[in-house]
C-alpha cells in the first residue's frame, strides 16, 4: 500500500509501506538500530563532498539505504550549496515505519521544496529484486537505480538475532559464509546501486576488517569499490551501543576485475594512557592531528592517532591493519628473527559450547539429590586465568562439566547413556529444555549432546589455554586434562610429541613483546584497552628458532616459572624471561602502548 502525504501546497513526500522482514525480538536488537551522532554525521558528509565528482547538469541522486530518523540525510543535504540543492533527488529506505515518519517530518521541515522519497522498504530485498529482474538496466541499456552519493549507517544485527533461516537466506543471496552480520550484505548491496564514479560514506562496525566471517566482505569491498580512506574509530564510544565503529569512504567503479592500483589511506584512533602532546575538542577533530600523536580531548580521555595505509598482507581476504613506516620497520626486524608462527604448532580451537550451560556446568554436583553423576570432568574457564599456570579455585568453587562424549573406533560419538544411570537420570530431568535446542536435533545429533564438544581424546594432553578477551596477554599451560570452556581458546602440538614448542609459545605469549607485536600487527582493541585474542591473531604470533641456545634457555625458564607459580620468586624470573624474548626477536626491551 502506498500512502502519499501532502503538506499544504508543498511537494509531497511519498511513504511506501511493505512487510517487515525480521522477527520482532527486541526492537533495537532486531532492527540493529544505532542512530548516528551529529558529529559523526557531519564528519562523513564532509568527507563525501570533499571527493565527490557530481554531474554538471541534471539530477544528483542521493540515497540512504537505512535512513532511520533522517539525521544522515539531513546533515548531508545541509552541506550542499543552495544551487546544488535544487538538483538533489533524495531517496531513503527503512523498514521501521516509525523511523520513516520521524525522518519525513525532519526532512520536510528542513527542506520543504526538495524532491524527497522515503519508503518503508528492506534495502536488501530491493537490491535482490533488481538483481533478479535485471532492473539495473532499461531496455536501451541505460543504467537505472544508480546513485551519485550514498550515505549510510547500516543496521548491526548478528546471525543469532536474525534467526538461522533468515541468516542463511541472506548469506546465500550475497555469497557470504560463516557467521554474518546484517551490515555485511548492506556493504555489498551498496556496491550494486552506486554509480561508477559515485561516492559512498559508510559508518559500520570495524569487526569485518579482522574476523574470519569478514573474509568475503573484505574481498568484495576491494573488488567492488575503489576504497579511498578507512577510519578505524576504535574505542571512541561515539555510539551509546557497544559498537566499535569505522568509516569507509569509497568510490564506485565499472570494472570489478581491477583491484586497487594505489595505496588506500587508513587512519585509526584508540584510547591510551600515554601523556598527551596536544589537545582537541573531540575524537573526530583529533583525527586531524599528525601520525602517532597523543591527543587529550575535552572530557579528559587521551587518544593516539595513527595515519598510514591499509595492509592486508597481499591477501585480498586478509585481515586489514594500518601500516606506517615505523610499524613496518619494527615488523621487518621481528620477521627477520622469526622461525615460524603459533599456527605451525597446531590448530587453535575454541572451547566447548553446550548452549545449555545451566544444565551441563555446575559447581554443586556433589549436592544433587540423585547423587553425583558420572561423566563429570574439570572445567577450565576464564576465572582460572593466570599467566603461566591456572588459578586453583579450590574444590568449593571449581566447576565441572557433564561431558557426554567419547572416542570410538569411528571417531567422536555421544556416549550410550544406559551405561551411566546417574547421568542419564539427571539429563532426563532436563530433557525438555535440551530438546528445545532444535538446531542440534536437526543436525542429526542426540538431544543430550554438547553443541561443540571438540575431541574427547585431546583433553588429556598438555595444552596452551587463553581467554578470548583480555587487556594483557594471559596464557597458561594446562597439564591436568581439563575441558576448556567456550570463553577460552586452546592449542596443542600437532604431533603430540614436541611439547617444548608449547613452552616456547607460553613464554612468548606472556611477554610485553607480544603486546607490542599485537598492537603493531593488529591494533584492534575493545573498550578500556582490552585486546581480542582470537584465532586469526594468535595463530600469527611469532616463534624464534626452538633449537637455538637462546630458545632452549627460554623454554627452561618458562618451565621453572610454571613450576613455581604462585610464589614470590617468579617476579624476577618473569622479568628475566621478558627481556630474553625482546632480545631473541632483535629488539631492545621497551613498553609500547598505542
Amino acid at each position: 500500500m502506498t500512502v502519499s502525504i501532502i503538506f499544504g501546497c508543498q511537494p509531497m513526500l511519498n511513504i511506501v509501506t511493505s512487510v517487515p522482514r525480521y522477527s520482532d525480538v527486541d526492537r533495537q536488537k532486531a532492527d540493529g538500530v544505532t542512530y548516528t551522532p551529529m558529529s559523526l554525521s557531519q564528519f562523513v558528509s564532509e568527507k563525501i563532498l570533499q571527493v565527490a565528482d557530481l554531474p554538471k547538469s541534471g539530477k544528483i541522486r542521493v540515497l540512504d539505504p537505512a535512513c532511520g530518523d533522517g539525521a544522515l540525510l539531513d546533515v548531508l543535504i545541509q552541506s550542499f550549496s543552495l544551487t546544488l540543492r535544487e538538483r538533489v533527488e533524495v531517496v531513503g529506505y527503512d523498514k521501521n515505519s516509525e523511523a520513516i515518519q520521524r525522518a519525513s517530518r525532519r526532512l520536510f521541515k528542513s527542506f520543504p521544496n526538495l524532491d524527497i522519497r522515503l519508503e518503508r522498504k528492506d534495502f536488501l530485498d530491493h537490491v535482490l529484486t533488481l538483481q533478479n529482474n535485471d532492473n539495473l538496466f532499461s531496455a536501451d541499456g541505460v543504467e537505472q537505480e544508480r546513485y551519485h552519493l550514498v550515505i549510510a549507517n547500516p543496521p548491526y544485527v548478528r546471525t543469532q538475532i536474525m534467526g538461522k533461516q533468515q541468516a542463511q537466506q541472506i548469506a546465500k543471496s550475497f555469497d557470504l559464509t560463516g557467521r554474518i552480520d546484517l551490515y555485511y550484505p548492506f556493504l555489498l548491496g551498496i556496491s550494486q546501486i552506486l554509480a561508477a564514479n559515485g561516492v559512498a560514506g559508510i559508518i559500520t562496525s570495524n569487526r569485518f576488517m579482522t574476523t574470519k566471517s569478514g573474509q568475503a566482505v573484505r574481498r568484495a569491498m576491494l573488488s567492488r569499490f575503489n576504497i579511498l580512506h578507512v577510519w578505524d574509530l576504535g574505542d571512541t564510544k561515539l555510539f551509546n551501543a557497544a559498537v566499535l565503529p569505522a568509516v569507509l569512504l569509497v568510490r564506485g567503479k565499472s570494472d570489478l576485475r581491477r583491484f586497487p592500483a594505489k595505496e588506500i589511506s587508513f587512519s585509526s584512533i584508540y584510547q591510551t594512557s600515554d601523556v598527551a602532546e596536544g589537545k582537541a575538542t573531540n575524537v573526530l577533530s583529533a583525527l586531524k592531528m599528525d601520525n602517532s600523536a597523543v591527543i587529550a580531548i575535552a572530557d579528559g580521555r587521551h587518544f593516539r592517532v595513527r595515519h598510514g595505509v591499509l595492509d592486508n598482507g597481499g591477501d585480498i581476504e586478509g585481515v586489514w591493519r594500518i601500516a606506517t613506516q615505523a610499524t613496518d620497520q619494527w615488523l621487518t626486524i621481528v620477521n627477520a628473527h622469526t622461525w615460524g608462527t603459533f599456527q605451525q604448532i597446531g590448530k587453535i580451537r575454541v572451547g566447548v559450547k553446550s548452549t545449555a550451560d545451566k544444565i551441563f556446568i555446575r559447581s554443586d554436583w556433589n549436592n544433587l539429590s540423585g547423587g553425583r553423576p558420572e561423566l563429570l570432568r574439570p572445567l577450565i574457564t576464564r576465572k582460572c586465568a593466570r599467566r603461566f599456570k591456572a588459578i586453583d579455585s579450590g574444590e568449593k568453587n571449581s566447576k565441572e562439566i557433564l561431558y557426554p562424549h567419547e572416542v570410538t573406533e569411528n571417531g567422536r560419538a555421544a556416549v550410550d547413556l544406559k551405561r551411566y544411570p546417574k547421568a542419564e537420570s539427571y539429563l532426563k530431568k532436563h530433557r525438555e529444555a535440551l530438546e528445545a535446542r532444535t538446531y542440534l536435533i536437526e543436525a542429526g545429533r542426540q538431544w543430550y549432546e554438547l553443541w561443540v564438544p571438540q575431541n574427547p581424546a585431546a583433553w588429556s594432553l598438555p595444552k596452551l589455554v587463553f581467554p578470548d578477551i583480555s587487556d594483557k596477554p594471559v596464557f597458561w599451560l594446562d597439564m591436568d586434562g581439563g575441558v576448556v570452556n567456550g570463553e577460552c581458546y586452546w592449542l596443542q602440538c600437532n604431533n603430540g610429541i614436541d611439547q617444548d614448542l608449547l613452552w616456547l609459545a607460553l613464554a612468548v605469549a606472556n611477554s610485553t613483546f607480544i603486546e607490542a607485536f599485537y598492537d603493531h600487527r593488529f591494533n584492534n582493541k575493545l573498550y578500556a584497552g582490552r585486546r581480542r585474542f582470537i584465532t586469526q591473531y594468535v595463530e600469527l604470533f611469532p616463534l624464534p628458532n626452538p633449537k637455538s641456545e637462546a630458545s632452549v634457555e627460554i623454554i627452561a625458564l618458562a618451565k621453572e616459572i610454571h613450576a613455581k607459580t604462585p610464589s614470590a620468586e617468579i617476579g624476577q624470573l618473569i622479568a628475566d624471561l621478558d627481556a630474553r624474548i625482546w632480545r631473541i626477536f632483535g629488539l631492545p626491551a621497551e613498553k609500547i602502548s598505542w
Side-chain angles (χ1 to χ4, degrees):
M1 178 179 66
T2 301
V3 181
S4 298
I5 300 181
I6 303 176
F7 298 87
C9 299
Q10 304 293 346
M12 66 182 179
L13 276 77
N14 296 321
I15 301 184
V16 183
T17 62
S18 62
V19 179
R21 180 171 180 174
Y22 303 106
S23 56
D24 190 13
V25 190
D26 166 274
R27 177 57 62 88
Q28 186 160 357
K29 276 189 176 182
D31 289 350
V33 177
T34 312
Y35 290 147
T36 313
M38 179 62 70
S39 60
L40 188 53
S41 300
Q42 292 170 337
F43 176 84
V44 177
S45 297
E46 174 187 322
K47 298 302 179 183
I48 289 175
L49 293 180
Q50 281 177 356
V51 300
D53 185 10
L54 299 174
K56 304 302 181 185
S57 61
K59 289 290 187 181
I60 300 171
R61 305 196 72 221
V62 179
L63 170 71
D64 184 340
C67 65
D69 62 359
L72 282 172
L73 286 172
D74 193 358
V75 172
L76 179 59
I77 298 167
Q78 292 282 8
S79 303
F80 281 98
S81 67
L82 293 176
T83 302
L84 286 177
R85 204 178 293 175
E86 292 177 356
R87 296 198 285 125
V88 170
E89 175 185 293
V90 177
V91 176
Y93 298 139
D94 202 292
K95 64 187 192 63
N96 185 316
S97 59
E98 295 175 5
I100 289 291
Q101 292 288 346
R102 288 196 299 272
S104 66
R105 289 192 294 268
R106 177 180 197 147
L107 295 177
F108 179 77
K109 181 179 179 180
S110 298
F111 316 104
N113 298 308
L114 208 62
D115 184 0
I116 301 176
R117 178 165 57 92
L118 303 180
E119 297 186 26
R120 186 184 178 197
K121 179 184 287 188
D122 187 316
F123 173 67
L124 301 184
D125 282 344
H126 174 66
V127 170
L128 293 174
T129 299
L130 293 176
Q131 286 179 352
N132 295 335
N133 297 337
D134 199 23
N135 284 343
L136 288 177
F137 299 90
S138 63
D140 57 2
V142 178
E143 283 189 320
Q144 305 293 317
E145 290 287 346
R146 294 287 186 178
Y147 293 88
H148 303 107
L149 300 179
V150 175
I151 190 167
N153 177 8
Y156 312 134
V157 183
R158 298 299 303 279
T159 302
Q160 54 265 45
I161 300 297
M162 278 187 275
K164 181 180 178 181
Q165 184 175 354
Q166 293 167 337
Q168 288 179 343
Q169 180 182 353
I170 291 172
K172 181 179 179 181
S173 299
F174 288 89
D175 193 24
L176 295 168
T177 58
R179 289 189 175 184
I180 67 167
D181 193 301
L182 191 57
Y183 72 86
Y184 289 8
F186 259 84
L187 292 175
L188 307 189
I190 288 170
S191 73
Q192 296 174 244
I193 50 79
L194 185 64
N197 202 36
V199 174
I202 309 167
I203 303 165
T204 186
S205 165
N206 67 7
R207 280 180 55 85
F208 86 91
M209 296 193 289
T210 58
T211 60
K212 283 192 173 180
S213 63
Q215 288 176 334
V217 179
R218 294 193 291 272
R219 179 184 67 244
M221 292 294 292
L222 290 169
S223 61
R224 298 187 184 194
F225 294 108
N226 287 318
I227 302 176
L228 306 176
H229 204 128
V230 178
W231 290 270
D232 179 359
L233 302 179
D235 55 352
T236 51
K237 299 182 180 178
L238 288 171
F239 290 94
N240 292 329
V243 175
L244 275 73
V247 173
L248 307 175
L249 186 66
V250 303
R251 193 184 297 279
K253 63 180 182 180
S254 55
D255 188 352
L256 302 186
R257 295 168 299 179
R258 295 185 61 187
F259 292 101
K262 62 178 183 179
E263 294 179 332
I264 297 168
S265 298
F266 198 132
S267 301
S268 71
I269 181 167
Y270 278 84
Q271 193 168 352
T272 179
S273 58
D274 291 351
V275 177
E277 304 160 356
K279 293 182 179 180
T281 54
N282 55 53
V283 295
L284 295 173
S285 59
L287 279 169
K288 299 176 182 178
M289 302 302 181
D290 293 338
N291 178 47
S292 201
V294 177
I295 306 299
I297 65 171
D299 64 9
R301 290 180 294 164
H302 291 190
F303 290 89
R304 184 175 292 276
V305 177
R306 301 178 71 199
H307 302 294
V309 296
L310 187 153
D311 174 51
N312 60 358
D315 179 359
I316 194 169
E317 294 185 352
V319 168
W320 289 7
R321 74 172 186 93
I322 184 171
T324 66
Q325 184 176 3
T327 292
D328 286 352
Q329 289 175 347
W330 195 94
L331 289 173
T332 297
I333 295 173
V334 172
N335 289 340
H337 293 80
T338 295
W339 166 83
T341 61
F342 280 31
Q343 65 185 339
Q344 290 173 254
I345 299 175
K347 183 178 179 180
I348 295 174
R349 295 177 169 85
V350 72
V352 299
K353 296 179 182 295
S354 73
T355 61
D357 282 0
K358 290 183 178 179
I359 297 172
F360 287 101
I361 298 172
R362 305 178 67 137
S363 58
D364 62 346
W365 293 107
N366 292 334
N367 301 327
L368 297 183
S369 58
R372 179 181 171 86
E374 309 89 350
L375 302 175
L376 296 182
R377 296 198 185 203
L379 186 69
I380 300 172
T381 72
R382 65 181 309 111
K383 290 185 178 180
C384 305
R386 180 171 57 192
R387 296 166 73 199
F388 295 97
K389 181 187 286 187
I391 296 171
D392 182 3
S393 58
E395 185 177 345
K396 180 180 179 181
N397 298 315
S398 62
K399 290 188 175 181
E400 294 176 291
I401 183 169
L402 197 158
Y403 189 79
H405 297 269
E406 63 183 355
V407 178
T408 68
E409 58 183 11
N410 296 318
R412 188 190 70 217
V415 300
D416 180 359
L417 282 183
K418 293 179 181 178
R419 293 160 39 204
Y420 307 98
K422 292 181 180 179
E424 180 183 31
S425 175
Y426 171 80
L427 290 170
K428 282 185 174 179
K429 290 179 182 177
H430 300 281
R431 182 163 186 160
E432 183 177 355
L434 294 176
E435 286 186 334
R437 302 176 300 163
T438 53
Y439 47 85
L440 187 141
I441 308 299
E442 291 168 359
R445 309 272 296 280
Q446 297 290 342
W447 59 270
Y448 55 86
E449 290 190 55
L450 305 179
W451 175 236
V452 180
Q454 298 294 0
N455 178 14
W459 299 126
S460 60
L461 301 175
K463 51 188 171 290
L464 192 67
V465 186
F466 52 98
D468 57 351
I469 296 174
S470 178
D471 57 342
K472 303 285 186 182
V474 181
F475 288 69
W476 69 93
L477 204 62
D478 173 64
M479 312 282 284
D480 301 321
V483 173
V484 180
N485 200 21
E487 62 204 351
C488 297
Y489 289 85
W490 54 291
L491 169 66
Q492 287 179 326
C493 287
N494 277 328
N495 55 23
I497 298 173
D498 193 2
Q499 301 298 337
D500 277 352
L501 281 176
L502 279 181
W503 289 103
L504 184 59
L506 179 69
V508 172
N510 281 317
S511 66
T512 56
F513 160 79
I514 213 64
E515 291 183 53
F517 177 84
Y518 182 104
D519 294 344
H520 278 94
R521 183 67 181 82
F522 313 116
N523 193 40
N524 183 18
K525 296 179 184 176
L526 303 172
Y527 295 124
R530 293 178 300 164
R531 296 175 175 88
R532 303 174 64 214
F533 292 94
I534 50 182
T535 299
Q536 53 264 44
Y537 294 164
V538 177
E539 67 183 8
L540 296 180
F541 282 6
L543 287 170
N545 185 343
K547 302 302 182 183
S548 70
E549 182 179 347
S551 288
V552 171
E553 293 173 353
I554 285 171
I555 291 167
L557 193 51
K559 291 179 178 179
E560 184 180 0
I561 292 170
H562 184 274
K564 293 182 176 179
T565 299
S567 74
E569 299 178 52
I570 64 169
Q572 185 56 49
L573 295 176
I574 290 174
D576 181 16
L577 179 64
D578 197 64
R580 290 171 183 264
I581 297 298
W582 282 96
R583 287 198 298 271
I584 204 168
F585 284 106
L587 294 164
E590 56 180 312
K591 177 59 178 174
I592 297 178
S593 173
W594 292 118

